[in-house]
PDB file of all heavy atoms in Angstrom:
ATOM      1  N   VAL A 101      19.247  10.928 -28.171  1.00  0.00           N
ATOM      2  CA  VAL A 101      19.405  12.387 -28.123  1.00  0.00           C
ATOM      3  C   VAL A 101      18.510  12.957 -29.216  1.00  0.00           C
ATOM      4  O   VAL A 101      18.788  12.787 -30.404  1.00  0.00           O
ATOM      5  CB  VAL A 101      20.869  12.821 -28.334  1.00  0.00           C
ATOM      6  CG1 VAL A 101      20.976  14.342 -28.289  1.00  0.00           C
ATOM      7  CG2 VAL A 101      21.786  12.187 -27.305  1.00  0.00           C
ATOM      8  N   ASN A 102      17.445  13.580 -28.798  1.00  0.00           N
ATOM      9  CA  ASN A 102      16.502  14.175 -29.743  1.00  0.00           C
ATOM     10  C   ASN A 102      17.096  15.487 -30.239  1.00  0.00           C
ATOM     11  O   ASN A 102      17.339  16.408 -29.477  1.00  0.00           O
ATOM     12  CB  ASN A 102      15.153  14.389 -29.049  1.00  0.00           C
ATOM     13  CG  ASN A 102      14.118  14.951 -29.975  1.00  0.00           C
ATOM     14  OD1 ASN A 102      13.604  16.027 -29.741  1.00  0.00           O
ATOM     15  ND2 ASN A 102      13.805  14.247 -31.037  1.00  0.00           N
ATOM     16  N   TYR A 103      17.299  15.555 -31.547  1.00  0.00           N
ATOM     17  CA  TYR A 103      18.093  16.616 -32.169  1.00  0.00           C
ATOM     18  C   TYR A 103      17.224  17.536 -33.023  1.00  0.00           C
ATOM     19  O   TYR A 103      16.500  17.063 -33.895  1.00  0.00           O
ATOM     20  CB  TYR A 103      19.170  15.940 -33.029  1.00  0.00           C
ATOM     21  CG  TYR A 103      19.992  16.834 -33.892  1.00  0.00           C
ATOM     22  CD1 TYR A 103      20.919  17.709 -33.346  1.00  0.00           C
ATOM     23  CD2 TYR A 103      19.874  16.778 -35.277  1.00  0.00           C
ATOM     24  CE1 TYR A 103      21.699  18.516 -34.153  1.00  0.00           C
ATOM     25  CE2 TYR A 103      20.656  17.574 -36.093  1.00  0.00           C
ATOM     26  CZ  TYR A 103      21.563  18.443 -35.523  1.00  0.00           C
ATOM     27  OH  TYR A 103      22.335  19.243 -36.326  1.00  0.00           O
ATOM     28  N   GLN A 104      17.300  18.817 -32.747  1.00  0.00           N
ATOM     29  CA  GLN A 104      16.612  19.855 -33.521  1.00  0.00           C
ATOM     30  C   GLN A 104      15.156  19.468 -33.804  1.00  0.00           C
ATOM     31  O   GLN A 104      14.752  19.358 -34.955  1.00  0.00           O
ATOM     32  CB  GLN A 104      17.360  20.146 -34.819  1.00  0.00           C
ATOM     33  CG  GLN A 104      18.702  20.758 -34.581  1.00  0.00           C
ATOM     34  CD  GLN A 104      19.354  21.281 -35.847  1.00  0.00           C
ATOM     35  OE1 GLN A 104      18.908  21.029 -36.947  1.00  0.00           O
ATOM     36  NE2 GLN A 104      20.436  22.027 -35.683  1.00  0.00           N
ATOM     37  N   ASP A 105      14.427  19.278 -32.758  1.00  0.00           N
ATOM     38  CA  ASP A 105      13.059  18.804 -32.865  1.00  0.00           C
ATOM     39  C   ASP A 105      12.192  19.583 -31.876  1.00  0.00           C
ATOM     40  O   ASP A 105      12.693  20.179 -30.927  1.00  0.00           O
ATOM     41  CB  ASP A 105      13.039  17.309 -32.513  1.00  0.00           C
ATOM     42  CG  ASP A 105      11.935  16.554 -33.215  1.00  0.00           C
ATOM     43  OD1 ASP A 105      11.055  17.191 -33.828  1.00  0.00           O
ATOM     44  OD2 ASP A 105      11.964  15.324 -33.147  1.00  0.00           O
ATOM     45  N   LYS A 106      10.908  19.558 -32.107  1.00  0.00           N
ATOM     46  CA  LYS A 106       9.973  20.139 -31.146  1.00  0.00           C
ATOM     47  C   LYS A 106       9.558  19.031 -30.195  1.00  0.00           C
ATOM     48  O   LYS A 106       9.275  17.906 -30.629  1.00  0.00           O
ATOM     49  CB  LYS A 106       8.760  20.711 -31.875  1.00  0.00           C
ATOM     50  CG  LYS A 106       9.112  21.876 -32.778  1.00  0.00           C
ATOM     51  CD  LYS A 106       7.898  22.346 -33.544  1.00  0.00           C
ATOM     52  CE  LYS A 106       8.328  23.484 -34.469  1.00  0.00           C
ATOM     53  NZ  LYS A 106       7.291  23.813 -35.434  1.00  0.00           N
ATOM     54  N   GLU A 107       9.491  19.355 -28.920  1.00  0.00           N
ATOM     55  CA  GLU A 107       9.205  18.327 -27.927  1.00  0.00           C
ATOM     56  C   GLU A 107       7.866  17.618 -28.169  1.00  0.00           C
ATOM     57  O   GLU A 107       7.815  16.384 -28.069  1.00  0.00           O
ATOM     58  CB  GLU A 107       9.273  18.887 -26.508  1.00  0.00           C
ATOM     59  CG  GLU A 107       9.182  17.771 -25.473  1.00  0.00           C
ATOM     60  CD  GLU A 107       9.502  18.253 -24.074  1.00  0.00           C
ATOM     61  OE1 GLU A 107       9.333  19.436 -23.770  1.00  0.00           O
ATOM     62  OE2 GLU A 107       9.948  17.399 -23.269  1.00  0.00           O
ATOM     63  N   PRO A 108       6.787  18.330 -28.524  1.00  0.00           N
ATOM     64  CA  PRO A 108       5.538  17.588 -28.790  1.00  0.00           C
ATOM     65  C   PRO A 108       5.690  16.586 -29.942  1.00  0.00           C
ATOM     66  O   PRO A 108       5.126  15.494 -29.898  1.00  0.00           O
ATOM     67  CB  PRO A 108       4.533  18.698 -29.148  1.00  0.00           C
ATOM     68  CG  PRO A 108       5.069  19.919 -28.486  1.00  0.00           C
ATOM     69  CD  PRO A 108       6.562  19.786 -28.548  1.00  0.00           C
ATOM     70  N   ASP A 109       6.470  16.953 -30.968  1.00  0.00           N
ATOM     71  CA  ASP A 109       6.692  16.027 -32.085  1.00  0.00           C
ATOM     72  C   ASP A 109       7.510  14.820 -31.629  1.00  0.00           C
ATOM     73  O   ASP A 109       7.246  13.688 -32.041  1.00  0.00           O
ATOM     74  CB  ASP A 109       7.415  16.735 -33.231  1.00  0.00           C
ATOM     75  CG  ASP A 109       6.571  17.832 -33.856  1.00  0.00           C
ATOM     76  OD1 ASP A 109       5.330  17.801 -33.686  1.00  0.00           O
ATOM     77  OD2 ASP A 109       7.148  18.726 -34.509  1.00  0.00           O
ATOM     78  N   ALA A 110       8.505  15.056 -30.784  1.00  0.00           N
ATOM     79  CA  ALA A 110       9.330  13.958 -30.262  1.00  0.00           C
ATOM     80  C   ALA A 110       8.479  13.013 -29.412  1.00  0.00           C
ATOM     81  O   ALA A 110       8.584  11.792 -29.528  1.00  0.00           O
ATOM     82  CB  ALA A 110      10.491  14.515 -29.445  1.00  0.00           C
ATOM     83  N   LEU A 111       7.621  13.584 -28.568  1.00  0.00           N
ATOM     84  CA  LEU A 111       6.753  12.752 -27.729  1.00  0.00           C
ATOM     85  C   LEU A 111       5.785  11.927 -28.580  1.00  0.00           C
ATOM     86  O   LEU A 111       5.557  10.747 -28.309  1.00  0.00           O
ATOM     87  CB  LEU A 111       5.988  13.632 -26.738  1.00  0.00           C
ATOM     88  CG  LEU A 111       6.824  14.174 -25.584  1.00  0.00           C
ATOM     89  CD1 LEU A 111       6.056  15.257 -24.820  1.00  0.00           C
ATOM     90  CD2 LEU A 111       7.237  13.050 -24.652  1.00  0.00           C
ATOM     91  N   GLU A 112       5.235  12.544 -29.620  1.00  0.00           N
ATOM     92  CA  GLU A 112       4.327  11.813 -30.505  1.00  0.00           C
ATOM     93  C   GLU A 112       5.055  10.679 -31.219  1.00  0.00           C
ATOM     94  O   GLU A 112       4.529   9.574 -31.365  1.00  0.00           O
ATOM     95  CB  GLU A 112       3.684  12.775 -31.519  1.00  0.00           C
ATOM     96  CG  GLU A 112       2.713  12.106 -32.458  1.00  0.00           C
ATOM     97  CD  GLU A 112       1.531  11.444 -31.748  1.00  0.00           C
ATOM     98  OE1 GLU A 112       1.116  11.919 -30.679  1.00  0.00           O
ATOM     99  OE2 GLU A 112       1.038  10.416 -32.279  1.00  0.00           O
ATOM    100  N   TYR A 113       6.279  10.953 -31.656  1.00  0.00           N
ATOM    101  CA  TYR A 113       7.106   9.927 -32.310  1.00  0.00           C
ATOM    102  C   TYR A 113       7.307   8.736 -31.369  1.00  0.00           C
ATOM    103  O   TYR A 113       7.127   7.585 -31.762  1.00  0.00           O
ATOM    104  CB  TYR A 113       8.451  10.545 -32.692  1.00  0.00           C
ATOM    105  CG  TYR A 113       9.434   9.604 -33.340  1.00  0.00           C
ATOM    106  CD1 TYR A 113       9.495   9.466 -34.721  1.00  0.00           C
ATOM    107  CD2 TYR A 113      10.320   8.849 -32.566  1.00  0.00           C
ATOM    108  CE1 TYR A 113      10.404   8.612 -35.320  1.00  0.00           C
ATOM    109  CE2 TYR A 113      11.235   7.990 -33.150  1.00  0.00           C
ATOM    110  CZ  TYR A 113      11.274   7.885 -34.528  1.00  0.00           C
ATOM    111  OH  TYR A 113      12.183   7.028 -35.112  1.00  0.00           O
ATOM    112  N   LEU A 114       7.668   9.014 -30.118  1.00  0.00           N
ATOM    113  CA  LEU A 114       7.920   7.938 -29.155  1.00  0.00           C
ATOM    114  C   LEU A 114       6.631   7.188 -28.803  1.00  0.00           C
ATOM    115  O   LEU A 114       6.662   5.979 -28.589  1.00  0.00           O
ATOM    116  CB  LEU A 114       8.594   8.489 -27.899  1.00  0.00           C
ATOM    117  CG  LEU A 114      10.002   9.050 -28.122  1.00  0.00           C
ATOM    118  CD1 LEU A 114      10.533   9.706 -26.859  1.00  0.00           C
ATOM    119  CD2 LEU A 114      10.954   7.964 -28.614  1.00  0.00           C
ATOM    120  N   ARG A 115       5.508   7.908 -28.758  1.00  0.00           N
ATOM    121  CA  ARG A 115       4.223   7.243 -28.519  1.00  0.00           C
ATOM    122  C   ARG A 115       3.862   6.323 -29.699  1.00  0.00           C
ATOM    123  O   ARG A 115       3.397   5.215 -29.505  1.00  0.00           O
ATOM    124  CB  ARG A 115       3.108   8.284 -28.333  1.00  0.00           C
ATOM    125  CG  ARG A 115       2.731   8.513 -26.882  1.00  0.00           C
ATOM    126  CD  ARG A 115       1.457   9.332 -26.757  1.00  0.00           C
ATOM    127  NE  ARG A 115       1.534  10.653 -27.373  1.00  0.00           N
ATOM    128  CZ  ARG A 115       2.037  11.735 -26.788  1.00  0.00           C
ATOM    129  NH1 ARG A 115       2.480  11.666 -25.577  1.00  0.00           N
ATOM    130  NH2 ARG A 115       2.068  12.889 -27.419  1.00  0.00           N
ATOM    131  N   THR A 116       4.125   6.792 -30.893  1.00  0.00           N
ATOM    132  CA  THR A 116       3.763   6.033 -32.094  1.00  0.00           C
ATOM    133  C   THR A 116       4.658   4.818 -32.294  1.00  0.00           C
ATOM    134  O   THR A 116       4.182   3.721 -32.571  1.00  0.00           O
ATOM    135  CB  THR A 116       3.849   6.942 -33.343  1.00  0.00           C
ATOM    136  OG1 THR A 116       2.962   8.039 -33.161  1.00  0.00           O
ATOM    137  CG2 THR A 116       3.500   6.183 -34.609  1.00  0.00           C
ATOM    138  N   TYR A 117       5.973   5.005 -32.153  1.00  0.00           N
ATOM    139  CA  TYR A 117       6.923   3.935 -32.476  1.00  0.00           C
ATOM    140  C   TYR A 117       7.426   3.170 -31.259  1.00  0.00           C
ATOM    141  O   TYR A 117       8.103   2.176 -31.400  1.00  0.00           O
ATOM    142  CB  TYR A 117       8.108   4.507 -33.274  1.00  0.00           C
ATOM    143  CG  TYR A 117       7.653   5.075 -34.601  1.00  0.00           C
ATOM    144  CD1 TYR A 117       7.489   6.441 -34.764  1.00  0.00           C
ATOM    145  CD2 TYR A 117       7.342   4.230 -35.658  1.00  0.00           C
ATOM    146  CE1 TYR A 117       7.051   6.960 -35.971  1.00  0.00           C
ATOM    147  CE2 TYR A 117       6.907   4.737 -36.868  1.00  0.00           C
ATOM    148  CZ  TYR A 117       6.765   6.113 -37.018  1.00  0.00           C
ATOM    149  OH  TYR A 117       6.316   6.611 -38.206  1.00  0.00           O
ATOM    150  N   GLY A 118       7.128   3.666 -30.075  1.00  0.00           N
ATOM    151  CA  GLY A 118       7.530   2.979 -28.858  1.00  0.00           C
ATOM    152  C   GLY A 118       8.910   3.386 -28.389  1.00  0.00           C
ATOM    153  O   GLY A 118       9.709   3.951 -29.158  1.00  0.00           O
ATOM    154  N   SER A 119       9.162   3.114 -27.131  1.00  0.00           N
ATOM    155  CA  SER A 119      10.472   3.426 -26.561  1.00  0.00           C
ATOM    156  C   SER A 119      10.725   2.544 -25.343  1.00  0.00           C
ATOM    157  O   SER A 119       9.822   2.349 -24.523  1.00  0.00           O
ATOM    158  CB  SER A 119      10.551   4.898 -26.157  1.00  0.00           C
ATOM    159  OG  SER A 119      11.804   5.163 -25.577  1.00  0.00           O
ATOM    160  N   ASN A 120      11.912   2.012 -25.260  1.00  0.00           N
ATOM    161  CA  ASN A 120      12.297   1.248 -24.071  1.00  0.00           C
ATOM    162  C   ASN A 120      13.633   1.732 -23.500  1.00  0.00           C
ATOM    163  O   ASN A 120      14.316   1.006 -22.809  1.00  0.00           O
ATOM    164  CB  ASN A 120      12.327  -0.258 -24.361  1.00  0.00           C
ATOM    165  CG  ASN A 120      13.338  -0.618 -25.448  1.00  0.00           C
ATOM    166  OD1 ASN A 120      14.091   0.230 -25.916  1.00  0.00           O
ATOM    167  ND2 ASN A 120      13.350  -1.882 -25.840  1.00  0.00           N
ATOM    168  N   PHE A 121      13.987   2.980 -23.842  1.00  0.00           N
ATOM    169  CA  PHE A 121      15.189   3.585 -23.278  1.00  0.00           C
ATOM    170  C   PHE A 121      14.965   5.085 -23.120  1.00  0.00           C
ATOM    171  O   PHE A 121      13.983   5.628 -23.617  1.00  0.00           O
ATOM    172  CB  PHE A 121      16.431   3.268 -24.121  1.00  0.00           C
ATOM    173  CG  PHE A 121      16.334   3.665 -25.579  1.00  0.00           C
ATOM    174  CD1 PHE A 121      16.866   4.850 -26.011  1.00  0.00           C
ATOM    175  CD2 PHE A 121      15.730   2.822 -26.503  1.00  0.00           C
ATOM    176  CE1 PHE A 121      16.794   5.214 -27.352  1.00  0.00           C
ATOM    177  CE2 PHE A 121      15.647   3.159 -27.837  1.00  0.00           C
ATOM    178  CZ  PHE A 121      16.185   4.364 -28.268  1.00  0.00           C
ATOM    179  N   GLN A 122      15.866   5.740 -22.400  1.00  0.00           N
ATOM    180  CA  GLN A 122      15.698   7.154 -22.078  1.00  0.00           C
ATOM    181  C   GLN A 122      16.174   8.046 -23.225  1.00  0.00           C
ATOM    182  O   GLN A 122      17.088   7.678 -23.975  1.00  0.00           O
ATOM    183  CB  GLN A 122      16.472   7.497 -20.816  1.00  0.00           C
ATOM    184  CG  GLN A 122      15.954   6.779 -19.573  1.00  0.00           C
ATOM    185  CD  GLN A 122      16.796   7.096 -18.361  1.00  0.00           C
ATOM    186  OE1 GLN A 122      17.981   6.823 -18.347  1.00  0.00           O
ATOM    187  NE2 GLN A 122      16.158   7.671 -17.350  1.00  0.00           N
ATOM    188  N   HIS A 123      15.567   9.241 -23.283  1.00  0.00           N
ATOM    189  CA  HIS A 123      15.910  10.209 -24.320  1.00  0.00           C
ATOM    190  C   HIS A 123      16.087  11.586 -23.689  1.00  0.00           C
ATOM    191  O   HIS A 123      15.337  11.951 -22.787  1.00  0.00           O
ATOM    192  CB  HIS A 123      14.796  10.299 -25.366  1.00  0.00           C
ATOM    193  CG  HIS A 123      14.499   8.995 -26.025  1.00  0.00           C
ATOM    194  ND1 HIS A 123      15.127   8.600 -27.171  1.00  0.00           N
ATOM    195  CD2 HIS A 123      13.667   7.981 -25.674  1.00  0.00           C
ATOM    196  CE1 HIS A 123      14.678   7.406 -27.522  1.00  0.00           C
ATOM    197  NE2 HIS A 123      13.798   7.007 -26.619  1.00  0.00           N
ATOM    198  N   VAL A 124      17.054  12.322 -24.211  1.00  0.00           N
ATOM    199  CA  VAL A 124      17.236  13.705 -23.788  1.00  0.00           C
ATOM    200  C   VAL A 124      17.019  14.619 -24.989  1.00  0.00           C
ATOM    201  O   VAL A 124      17.100  14.181 -26.134  1.00  0.00           O
ATOM    202  CB  VAL A 124      18.640  13.961 -23.182  1.00  0.00           C
ATOM    203  CG1 VAL A 124      18.844  13.153 -21.916  1.00  0.00           C
ATOM    204  CG2 VAL A 124      19.741  13.711 -24.194  1.00  0.00           C
ATOM    205  N   ARG A 125      16.767  15.879 -24.681  1.00  0.00           N
ATOM    206  CA  ARG A 125      16.567  16.876 -25.733  1.00  0.00           C
ATOM    207  C   ARG A 125      17.832  17.698 -25.904  1.00  0.00           C
ATOM    208  O   ARG A 125      18.374  18.218 -24.938  1.00  0.00           O
ATOM    209  CB  ARG A 125      15.403  17.794 -25.372  1.00  0.00           C
ATOM    210  CG  ARG A 125      14.073  17.041 -25.309  1.00  0.00           C
ATOM    211  CD  ARG A 125      12.906  17.960 -25.056  1.00  0.00           C
ATOM    212  NE  ARG A 125      12.844  18.931 -26.138  1.00  0.00           N
ATOM    213  CZ  ARG A 125      12.626  20.230 -25.938  1.00  0.00           C
ATOM    214  NH1 ARG A 125      12.427  20.696 -24.747  1.00  0.00           N
ATOM    215  NH2 ARG A 125      12.579  21.054 -26.959  1.00  0.00           N
ATOM    216  N   ASP A 126      18.283  17.795 -27.146  1.00  0.00           N
ATOM    217  CA  ASP A 126      19.425  18.647 -27.468  1.00  0.00           C
ATOM    218  C   ASP A 126      18.847  19.968 -27.968  1.00  0.00           C
ATOM    219  O   ASP A 126      18.788  20.241 -29.168  1.00  0.00           O
ATOM    220  CB  ASP A 126      20.294  17.974 -28.530  1.00  0.00           C
ATOM    221  CG  ASP A 126      21.602  18.695 -28.742  1.00  0.00           C
ATOM    222  OD1 ASP A 126      21.919  19.620 -27.967  1.00  0.00           O
ATOM    223  OD2 ASP A 126      22.313  18.331 -29.693  1.00  0.00           O
ATOM    224  N   VAL A 127      18.405  20.759 -27.014  1.00  0.00           N
ATOM    225  CA  VAL A 127      17.612  21.946 -27.305  1.00  0.00           C
ATOM    226  C   VAL A 127      18.347  22.925 -28.221  1.00  0.00           C
ATOM    227  O   VAL A 127      17.781  23.425 -29.193  1.00  0.00           O
ATOM    228  CB  VAL A 127      17.199  22.643 -25.990  1.00  0.00           C
ATOM    229  CG1 VAL A 127      16.417  23.903 -26.279  1.00  0.00           C
ATOM    230  CG2 VAL A 127      16.409  21.678 -25.124  1.00  0.00           C
ATOM    231  N   LYS A 128      19.606  23.178 -27.951  1.00  0.00           N
ATOM    232  CA  LYS A 128      20.344  24.166 -28.744  1.00  0.00           C
ATOM    233  C   LYS A 128      21.347  23.537 -29.702  1.00  0.00           C
ATOM    234  O   LYS A 128      22.134  24.244 -30.324  1.00  0.00           O
ATOM    235  CB  LYS A 128      21.061  25.143 -27.805  1.00  0.00           C
ATOM    236  CG  LYS A 128      20.096  25.974 -26.983  1.00  0.00           C
ATOM    237  CD  LYS A 128      20.806  26.962 -26.110  1.00  0.00           C
ATOM    238  CE  LYS A 128      19.774  27.773 -25.341  1.00  0.00           C
ATOM    239  NZ  LYS A 128      20.387  28.703 -24.400  1.00  0.00           N
ATOM    240  N   GLY A 129      21.350  22.222 -29.791  1.00  0.00           N
ATOM    241  CA  GLY A 129      22.285  21.545 -30.698  1.00  0.00           C
ATOM    242  C   GLY A 129      23.692  21.462 -30.149  1.00  0.00           C
ATOM    243  O   GLY A 129      24.612  21.080 -30.880  1.00  0.00           O
ATOM    244  N   ALA A 130      23.882  21.780 -28.889  1.00  0.00           N
ATOM    245  CA  ALA A 130      25.228  21.785 -28.306  1.00  0.00           C
ATOM    246  C   ALA A 130      25.810  20.374 -28.183  1.00  0.00           C
ATOM    247  O   ALA A 130      27.009  20.179 -28.414  1.00  0.00           O
ATOM    248  CB  ALA A 130      25.202  22.465 -26.941  1.00  0.00           C
TER     249      ALA A 130
END
Side-chain angles (χ1 to χ4, degrees):
V101 179
N102 182 241
Y103 173 70
Q104 294 190 349
D105 209 350
K106 295 176 182 168
E107 189 169 26
D109 295 340
L111 286 168
E112 181 60 30
Y113 178 92
L114 295 174
R115 259 191 301 276
T116 301
Y117 297 101
S119 178
N120 61 6
F121 56 97
Q122 296 177 300
H123 302 269
V124 296
R125 296 184 60 224
D126 189 8
V127 178
K128 295 182 179 176

